[in-house]
Amino acid sequence: AELLNAAPFGGGVPAMNTAWNTFWDGQTQLTDEGWFAEIRIPLSSLGFDVRNDRAVMGLIAGRYIARSNEKHLFPAIPPDWDMADFKPSQAQDMELTGVPNSTPLWITPYLLTGVDRSRDPDRLPVTRPTSDFSREVGLDVKYGLSSNLTLDLTVNTDFAQVESDALQVNLDRFSLFFPEKRQFFQERSSTFRFALSEDNQLFYSRRIGLSDEGTPLRIFGGGRVAGRVGEWDVGVLSMQVDGGHVDLGPADGGAMDPEPARPDENVSALRLRRTVLGSGRVGGLFTSRVRTDGGMDISVGADGEIPFGDERVTLQLAHTHNDEQPAAAAIQRSSARIFWERRSLRGFGYDASVTYSGPGYDPRLGFEARNDYTAAQGRLAYVWDPEGDGPIDRYRFQTVTRSVWRNEDRSVESWPGRLQLLMDLSGGHWWNVTTNLTREDVRTGFDLPGATVSPGTFWNLDLFTRFETSRARTLSGALTMYTGGAFDGYRFNLLVEPQVSLSRHLSVGMAYDIHRLWFTGRDQRVKADLARLRVRAALDSRLSAEAFLQYSAVTDALSTNLRVRYRFAEGRDLFIVVDEARDFTDRLGLQSVLGPTDRRLLVKYSWTFQP
């Protein structure tokens, strides 16, 4: 995992990026003396400073016994903060001598072949699926400019082996956020992070290789430099993206006639940040999207984190410029935030923030769920550990409130108030009970699958609870229930997530999400159920497979993602990927003839070597 920083974790900022990976190998063994694990990580795949053949690194070693909810740590880190054992500032300094100041070079060519079988279910007259065979060659190069600065180059970038996104239900008027899963953008991804709030990011790498409508675009290639130079964290990224094409349909009854839909574009980002005042930081971010037709989108931002003992203040300012924006004052094309926090697992903790986003602020390479608003948020929490050996190891009580105003007339668009009780239970279980009072002012009506929400002001009260069991058991899982008012109706959500570890070679995870809305006053109903099945299997450290199936009641479609990996050696991998989207909606009674909406089979072989 890649840690973000040593600051208290909170305010919508995740503690780490668990998707990052590097070259490594591991073996485990179970003997009469117990369970043993040995992991080999080449030093050349880690970033560190070498001075006079010596390197100083931070070390945290931990052992977690889930059945008793017990954790052993070295060094002895007090549990005063959330995820205290993942704070780099608390690590034990470890000095390695005789470490070469090497600049490693890895070259990874890949070969890919496959077939796509697809059709457009909405095109009339109905046509049979067509098949398209693909053959691709690409190359990735990783070169260590120094022991703590890496250059990555990619040509004809491909992400065939990346896991599919988990389906989400959107029953509101704001955009959903999907995490980045592509490996090229994972390493040092925290360097590029610039989050002005939970739903406002100045740079969002998933914009690269996607059109504004969400259509995947070909990435010709690009490069990235990330690491540390002296006291500075440095990140430079530049990618060349195909503009994509649209299918205009058969021309004169012949073949499909694709035409350019948009110009090609270059996407770039520059991030600089350095440590000040111990664990504080200051820095800046610049992003650009330059199109071959002369169009340009630019974003700039500056941020700083200032520590005051257990307190921390974050100041952020961002500004955007797009060719399509109307002329506006600089402040109207800007977003700003001030955030003050004290995160503690002993006694009182609190935070408060104020965020402004102008009507012209439009980060085309970022993510913003809503725009043209001012928001204020506050949180007050108290944490205590009961004495004795009772069923509850820790109580956490907190209250949160957030108001969002429209800038145009200062009216309240959203107001949620929350009372929350979280309990760490003995045996490694966890329970969350929350009640919410919300006010939503809808100016423009919007459609839901099976219903329409009309303009109006809606007050609602709801209840949320979630219970998670310890993962140490053969059968584990979680149960989530959400019920209460929603706009001018009623909402019920029940999520059941069992997980079974059948053996050391096979685990099965399931989820069924019952998601319903009723609007009895106008006899409308929303059924947005989701079902997921994930099966993980590994014969040994070389051969593994994972299947991920998802069904959506809204679209009446089943999507399947099957990935098989055979590891010849570390860095030499064969992937077989099968993707299928099956549409169960019978169109003109021809479903059995036409088959699935889309199916793809890909075979990819990559070979990493050091010349």
Side-chain angles (χ1 to χ4, degrees), residues 507-529:
S507 67
V508 179
M510 296 163 280
Y512 194 84
D513 191 356
I514 301 174
H515 225 132
R516 310 290 173 84
L517 273 78
W518 294 273
F519 300 94
T520 55
R522 40 199 164 90
D523 194 24
Q524 292 183 338
R525 176 184 176 187
V526 175
K527 180 181 180 181
D529 294 2

Side-chain angles (χ1 to χ4, degrees), residues 341-357:
E341 66 176 334
R342 181 183 185 271
R343 292 265 163 181
S344 174
L345 287 184
R346 295 184 186 276
F348 282 103
Y350 49 83
D351 61 55
S353 67
V354 176
T355 305
Y356 165 84
S357 180

Side-chain angles (χ1 to χ4, degrees), residues 130-203:
T130 59
S131 297
D132 180 28
F133 294 89
S134 60
R135 294 172 296 276
E136 298 288 349
V137 178
L139 178 70
D140 293 332
V141 177
K142 181 184 290 288
Y143 177 65
L145 300 175
S146 70
S147 59
N148 205 8
L149 190 68
T150 304
L151 168 67
D152 289 276
L153 300 174
T154 179
V155 178
N156 198 20
T157 313
D158 170 79
F159 304 107
Q161 72 274 23
V162 175
E163 178 189 77
S164 298
D165 286 316
L167 294 175
Q168 299 185 48
V169 176
N170 189 358
L171 298 179
D172 208 335
R173 58 204 188 276
F174 305 115
S175 299
L176 294 176
F177 180 85
F178 289 86
E180 176 65 87
K181 295 186 176 182
R182 298 172 295 181
Q183 193 60 37
F184 182 83
F185 299 103
Q186 294 295 343
E187 186 173 358
R188 302 272 185 168
S189 61
S190 60
T191 299
F192 293 93
R193 181 177 175 85
F194 195 111
L196 289 104
S197 65
E198 298 181 27
D199 52 7
N200 185 341
Q201 298 196 27
L202 188 59
F203 178 66

Side-chain angles (χ1 to χ4, degrees), residues 118 132 145 157 180 199 223 240 271 356 443 470 570 580:
S118 61
D132 180 28
L145 300 175
T157 313
E180 176 65 87
D199 52 7
Q240 193 68 27
R271 181 68 153 127
Y356 165 84
R443 289 279 181 88
S470 169
E570 188 58 46
E580 180 176 301

Side-chain angles (χ1 to χ4, degrees), residues 2 30 52 80 87 91 176 187 193 220 241 245 251 297 334-336 342 362 416 440 481-482 488 527 574 577 579 585:
E2 181 183 9
L30 185 63
N52 300 322
D80 293 345
K87 290 173 65 68
L176 294 176
E187 186 173 358
R193 181 177 175 85
F220 294 124
V241 181
H245 299 83
D297 305 318
S334 300
S335 183
R342 181 183 185 271
D362 185 12
E440 291 289 337
M481 187 185 73
Y482 178 94
D488 57 336
K527 180 181 180 181
L574 174 67
V577 181
D579 288 316
T585 304

Side-chain angles (χ1 to χ4, degrees), residues 255-307:
M256 296 296 178
D257 184 21
E259 292 290 339
R262 57 187 64 81
D264 296 344
E265 60 187 31
N266 175 269
V267 177
S268 299
L270 169 63
R271 181 68 153 127
L272 297 174
R273 188 171 54 186
R274 66 164 296 161
T275 302
V276 295
L277 301 176
S279 62
R281 295 190 177 192
V282 295
L285 173 67
F286 171 84
T287 71
S288 69
R289 184 170 69 173
V290 181
R291 300 181 294 275
T292 52
D293 65 353
M296 181 180 298
D297 305 318
I298 294 177
S299 300
V300 294
D303 60 346
E305 300 175 10
I306 306 171

